[in-house]
Amino acid sequence: MSRTRLHAQLLVPGRGEPLRDAVVDLDDTTISYAGPAAGAPVRISDQEFTVPTVMPGLWDCHTHLTGVRSFDLSRALLEPVARRAARAAGDLRAALAAGVTSVRDAGGFAIDLAAAVRDGSVLGPTIHAAGAILSTTGGHGDLHDLPLEWVHDLMTHESMLRLCDGPDACATAVREQLRRNAAVIKICASGGVLSEVDDPIHQQFTDAELATIVEVAGLAQRSVMAHCHGKPGIMAAVEAGVRTVEHGTYLDEECCAAMVERDVLLVPTRLIVTELAAVGAASGMSPAMLDKLFATAERHADALTMAHEAGVRIAMGTDVAASGRHLPAAWGNHGRELALMQASGLGPLEVLEAATANGPDTLGLQAPRSGQLVAGYDADVITVDGDPTADLTVLADPANIGHVFVGGRRVAGAAA
């Protein structure tokens, strides 16, 4: 048995009030104690560390392991798969260095990389993968500037895309992802920004299609994450029974009330909207995409504020996709999301809860015991050189992340 003890000036539990002068004990893959130093059990540990802050590892609940370096996906996805997959493996290491110990991936290579992480071939966070993004023909997950027959051909060897129209085809598409062992199902319930001709406000899947997707996923105890910008898609997705609304740009009071009633979480992804808007055309997006981006950016922060004030539960997600920390919305920059959430009205402890304890809840019945420093929970733990309860920006710089433990194994940090 591997036994680790962390002595911390500050313990941030994930959910609840911080604690000064604390101890966290890790026994193999599990937290065995987290509490006041005065009450810690007497024990002999294999290794002990004294740190400024200990907290649960971060959960990024909206990522894309795609290995792309451009947001013009029609061209980026034409790069060789092996090259992009190699970049994605590096992205996983960058996530660990940033303090991310779990990701819920919304479309990319993640199912295959999750297996490689589990068998030790690749070092990375625990991955809860969606597999392919399910989209209607002409919807947000389509590549509109390519001939449709090319897109269908691309779907045969590109694991990110899956077009499906009609309830029967939607059921088949969900079952295909389940056959690949997807942990969650990702759908495009509305139009989006990184697609050429669709409108972010418009609902895309019909009510019958949405109901079928949620039903088939639910038979396997999988939750559904719904890309939604516009109110029609949000309301239809919530009514169908999705677990999370991703982005939520044009939600209103009625949407918020429905989400609170059904305990649907919002994963706002402020990072990608903010950083793509900041670089504009340098992102590689087309003029049509840029027009939609700037319209979305004007509303996005206010939507998060409205949802928070209405009592909608929030989980952190960034929508990172790019390989290379110098790029916008890039892997390794996950911690930048926290200050953006605070700017929309969440308090520091609410942000930290969204970035840790609320993450597992996005998986519904598949939720692991993770995201909190509680005895019996997974030993996914990070240490921080600073006090994130006083300054969330300390989590934006990987240089402030001390040690990173995933399942009790030290995978990043000093002498890892």
Side-chain angles (χ1 to χ4, degrees):
M1 174 182 287
S2 173
R3 295 158 64 90
T4 299
R5 171 162 283 187
L6 302 170
H7 302 265
Q9 298 172 25
L10 177 68
L11 183 155
V12 180
R15 182 171 290 147
E17 292 298 316
L19 179 66
R20 299 284 176 182
D21 189 20
V23 161
V24 176
D25 287 332
L26 313 180
D27 287 356
D28 281 343
T29 62
T30 306
I31 298 170
S32 61
Y33 178 82
V42 176
R43 60 182 269 159
I44 297 175
S45 298
D46 300 311
Q47 52 187 352
E48 296 194 19
F49 304 98
T50 299
V51 300
T53 298
V54 62
M55 61 179 286
L58 300 177
W59 271 72
D60 191 335
C61 296
H62 192 123
T63 66
H64 291 282
L65 279 163
T66 57
V68 300
R69 291 187 170 171
S70 167
F71 286 90
D72 183 346
L73 297 182
S74 296
R75 290 160 181 78
L77 295 183
L78 298 180
E79 281 195 279
V81 170
R83 182 187 306 161
R84 291 190 287 116
R87 290 178 189 154
D91 293 336
L92 290 173
R93 294 191 296 273
L96 287 176
V100 175
T101 58
S102 296
V103 299
R104 189 180 63 141
D105 196 81
F109 302 123
I111 285 180
D112 296 323
L113 285 173
V117 170
R118 286 193 298 271
D119 70 20
S121 301
V122 174
L123 193 63
T126 300
I127 302 171
H128 306 277
I133 301 168
L134 306 191
S135 169
T136 60
T137 298
H140 176 54
D142 201 345
L143 301 175
H144 302 155
D145 53 349
L146 296 180
L148 184 58
E149 58 269 26
W150 291 15
V151 177
H152 283 292
D153 181 66
L154 189 62
M155 288 192 310
T156 64
H157 56 83
E158 172 58 61
S159 60
M160 184 175 176
L161 305 175
R162 181 63 167 87
L163 303 185
C164 48
D165 303 298
D168 289 347
C170 288
T172 298
V174 173
R175 288 178 176 130
E176 289 173 355
Q177 309 319 307
L178 297 175
R179 184 177 186 272
R180 299 176 60 206
N181 199 28
V184 61
I185 301 300
K186 164 69 181 297
I187 64 170
C188 296
S190 83
V193 172
L194 295 178
S195 43
E196 193 69 23
V197 301
D198 58 332
D199 190 319
I201 293 179
H202 292 167
Q203 178 179 339
Q204 295 192 332
F205 283 110
T206 66
D207 292 351
E209 290 169 331
L210 290 169
T212 297
I213 290 168
V214 172
E215 179 186 10
V216 175
L219 294 174
Q221 296 186 324
R222 265 43 168 211
S223 62
V224 176
M225 59 190 303
H227 161 102
C228 297
H229 285 288
K231 178 179 179 178
I234 294 171
M235 292 300 292
V238 171
E239 179 66 26
V242 304
R243 184 68 182 129
T244 62
V245 167
E246 316 292 310
H247 317 304
T249 304
Y250 297 102
L251 57 73
D252 63 8
E253 291 84 356
E254 184 181 9
C255 295
C256 292
M259 292 173 69
V260 170
E261 179 183 358
R262 292 173 175 260
D263 191 29
V264 175
L265 288 84
L266 174 66
V267 182
T269 68
R270 291 288 297 128
L271 183 74
I272 192 168
V273 175
T274 302
E275 296 199 350
L276 287 184
V279 301
S283 65
M285 298 167 65
S286 71
M289 294 176 188
L290 287 171
D291 286 344
K292 292 191 287 183
L293 171 66
F294 293 133
T296 299
E298 290 180 0
R299 180 70 176 78
H300 195 243
D302 293 339
L304 174 53
T305 300
M306 181 184 300
H308 171 247
E309 291 177 348
V312 175
R313 288 209 295 151
I314 312 296
M316 187 191 85
T318 59
D319 213 355
V320 294
S323 292
R325 287 198 62 213
H326 63 290
L327 297 172
W331 282 82
N333 294 329
H334 312 263
R336 296 178 182 177
E337 179 79 17
L338 279 70
L340 294 171
M341 297 170 72
Q342 184 178 23
S344 286
L346 281 73
L349 291 181
E350 292 175 316
V351 172
L352 291 168
E353 182 171 344
T356 57
N358 286 354
D361 292 344
T362 64
L363 295 171
L365 295 174
Q366 294 286 315
R369 290 166 64 85
S370 175
Q372 299 183 61
L373 299 186
V374 174
Y377 273 55
D378 295 341
D380 297 338
V381 178
I382 63 174
T383 68
V384 183
D385 296 331
D387 180 355
T389 67
D391 180 9
L392 288 168
T393 63
V394 300
L395 293 171
D397 185 353
N400 295 323
I401 304 299
H403 304 286
V404 179
F405 297 85
V406 177
R409 175 191 175 199
R410 189 153 51 103
V411 295

